[in-house]
Every structure is written in structure tokens, then in C-alpha cells.
Amino acid sequence: LTRQAIINDDLSELSDAMEGFGEAVARLYGDTAYSVLTTNANMGDGNPLFDAAHANLGTQGIISETTIGEAIKLMKLQKDIGDKRRLNIQPKYLLSAVKNEGAAETFFNSQMFVSANAAATRTNIYAGRFERIYEPRLDDYDSGDPWFLLGPKGKTVKLFFLDGNTSPFMEREKDFDTDCVKWKVRADIGAMAVRWNGMVKNTGA
């Protein structure tokens, strides 16, 4: 910021800059977390996070009675590290792109599946199920139209901060020759999947 801008501050440049820094850091945290899902990097066993080898990749399809049922089953049947016992993890969150929100909410808010054959009409057992998250970052995803079922917190993606410091580092410097003020903001952050058994992916339509 120039000296004149600091003196006048007619456009609230100083406060806007601070707000912009905060928004940028918040976006960075979110981008880092969601990149774990979208990059689908290899896990310690050499297989991608979402892979048939991990039994957490559903049969491709939109959110429906069939695909939701399959995703729930895949998560509940996951086994522990020793592959000895079923974990029975209960899905808590549904994550999808914003463009799917209308269709997904219609599905989850429908109490009945209606058919031309009255005898086939049945209750929607998934009505009101899950906390639903519609994330714009997935609208920019270039590998299809995926949606995810996620287990409780602690079983999905974990963020890591340098020395456990969750706050960004900010440094201020004044230029002696011009009286301008410069700010530098840095956030040291990383993310990784806790394990694959708390997440199920469907590549979507």
C-alpha cells in the first residue's frame, strides 16, 4: 500500500487487504483438503485412494436408491488394517458438486418412490439421510462428475500444520524510500487421507 493510500484510506484499502488475506488463507485450507479427494493419489499400499482394491469405488451412476445403497454397503463392510473384522462405519456426509444439488435434494426430500404401478410404490428409506455438502470446487473437477459418501470426522481427510500452528504467518515491512507498506502472508499446511475405509466415491453420470 502506498503512503497516500494509507493516509487517505478512502477506499478502505487497508481493511480490504486484511479481509482478502483471510479469505485467501481460508480458500487455501479448503483447496488443500479437497485436493486429497480429487487427485486420488496412491496410498501406502501403492493403490489409489479410491480404487477397487480398497472396495470404496461404487458402480458409476447418479445419486439414486441403487447407488446410495451400494455406497453405504461398501463403507459398512470395510475391514480393519489387519483385514480381520468389519468396521461397520456409518456414512455421515454426502458430498457432491453444486450443479447436482437440485436433483440430490429432490431425491433426499422425497418420502416415496412413485411408480406407474401402484404396487411398486415404496418408501424412500434414504429420505432426510446424511448431512449434504455441495462444494463448488467439484464443479471445476475435470474427471467426470463424482459424488462421495464420507464417514464421521477423524475417518476422512486430516489437515496438518507446521508446528501445529493453524494461524497464518503475517509479516509487515515498511519501505524506507517510498513509505509504502508491504505485507506477506504464509500458511504452512498439508493434507492426507486418514485411511480409505471412511470414504466411498462414485464417479457419477
Side-chain angles (χ1 to χ4, degrees), residues 9-56:
D9 200 21
D10 293 331
L11 299 178
S12 302
E13 292 180 72
L14 181 59
S15 58
D16 288 349
M18 296 300 103
E19 183 179 346
F21 288 149
E23 291 175 351
V25 170
R27 287 195 300 271
L28 173 64
Y29 289 3
D31 291 345
T32 304
Y34 280 103
S35 69
V36 175
L37 302 181
T38 57
T39 58
N40 199 30
N42 285 356
M43 299 292 285
D45 64 351
N47 295 306
L49 169 59
F50 298 105
D51 190 78
H54 294 155
N56 66 350

Side-chain angles (χ1 to χ4, degrees), residues 86-127:
R86 305 288 185 184
L87 295 175
N88 194 28
I89 299 173
Q90 305 292 325
K92 185 173 182 180
Y93 303 95
L94 180 133
L95 172 65
S96 185
V98 172
K99 63 186 175 183
N100 297 327
E101 182 171 0
E105 287 302 297
T106 297
F107 173 83
F108 286 110
N109 284 285
S110 298
Q111 300 300 314
M112 302 290 292
F113 293 118
V114 180
S115 172
N117 178 1
T121 299
R122 61 202 182 282
T123 301
N124 178 8
I125 61 173
Y126 304 118

Side-chain angles (χ1 to χ4, degrees), residues 89 93 151-158 192-195 197-199:
I89 299 173
Y93 303 95
K153 292 180 180 179
K155 295 186 179 294
T156 56
V157 175
K158 184 175 182 178
M192 65 175 290
V194 176
R195 249 191 127 241
N197 50 32
M199 297 179 279

Side-chain angles (χ1 to χ4, degrees), residues 59-64 67-71 94-97 100 138 145-149 200-205:
T59 305
Q60 181 178 6
I62 62 172
I63 295 171
S64 68
T67 57
I68 287 291
E70 179 192 40
L94 180 133
L95 172 65
S96 185
N100 297 327
L138 296 181
D145 186 22
W147 53 269
F148 305 84
L149 278 192
V200 173
K201 175 182 177 179
N202 190 300
T203 55

